[in-house]
Amino acid sequence: MTLLPAGVKVHLAFGYIDMRKGINGLAMLVQGVLRQDPFSGHLFVFRGRKANLIKIVFWDSTGLCLFTKRLEHGVFLWPSNVDPGGTLMLNSARRLARTRAAVATGCGGMIAAAD
C-alpha cells in the first residue's frame, strides 16, 4: 500500500538545513537552491544537523503543506555521497524497499539510506 499518488517524486535535499525555517523559507530553498518547483506536487524532504528531525514540503493543489517528523530515538539516515544543495530522487521501487527496511527495523517508514 502506498500513500502517494502515482507519479509523485520524493526529493531528498542534501546538506543541513536550518530547521527553524517555516513553509515559506523551505519553499524558497526548493526554488533557489534545489532549482525545483515547490508547486509541482512532489515531496521535498529536508533534514537538520542533529538528523532526528525532517521537514517535508508538498503542494496538494490547494496550498503548500509542511509535515514534520521528529524521532525520539535514533536518526534519519541520509546518503553521504552527494554534494550539499543536491537532491536524490526516490522512485517507487526505492520507496517500497526503504519502507520495508524501515518497518523491519522499527523506524515507522521514515528512513532514507544510501544504495
Side-chain angles (χ1 to χ4, degrees):
M1 178 176 116
T2 182
L3 300 175
L4 298 177
V8 172
K9 298 174 184 172
V10 178
H11 296 270
L12 301 180
F14 293 103
Y16 299 109
I17 305 302
D18 179 357
M19 296 310 274
R20 296 175 293 181
K21 287 190 184 297
I23 197 166
N24 293 331
L26 293 173
M28 294 294 289
L29 286 177
V30 170
Q31 285 181 315
V33 177
L34 304 179
R35 305 220 187 277
Q36 299 287 327
D37 179 10
F39 307 107
S40 63
H42 301 304
L43 291 127
F44 299 94
V45 185
F46 300 91
R47 185 181 75 154
R49 185 169 297 280
K50 291 183 181 179
N52 69 336
L53 179 69
I54 60 169
K55 289 188 176 183
I56 303 170
V57 175
F58 172 67
W59 173 259
D60 71 353
S61 78
T62 63
L64 279 173
C65 303
L66 179 62
F67 304 101
T68 304
K69 172 76 176 187
R70 184 184 71 207
L71 297 176
E72 294 299 321
H73 304 285
V75 298
F76 291 100
L77 300 178
W78 226 245
S80 59
N81 57 347
V82 180
D83 294 328
T87 64
L88 173 66
M89 188 173 46
L90 299 178
N91 62 26
S92 56
R94 280 186 178 169
R95 283 195 302 259
L96 181 59
R98 301 285 188 259
T99 302
R100 286 183 180 158
V103 169
T105 59
C107 294
M110 299 296 294
I111 191 167
D115 288 337

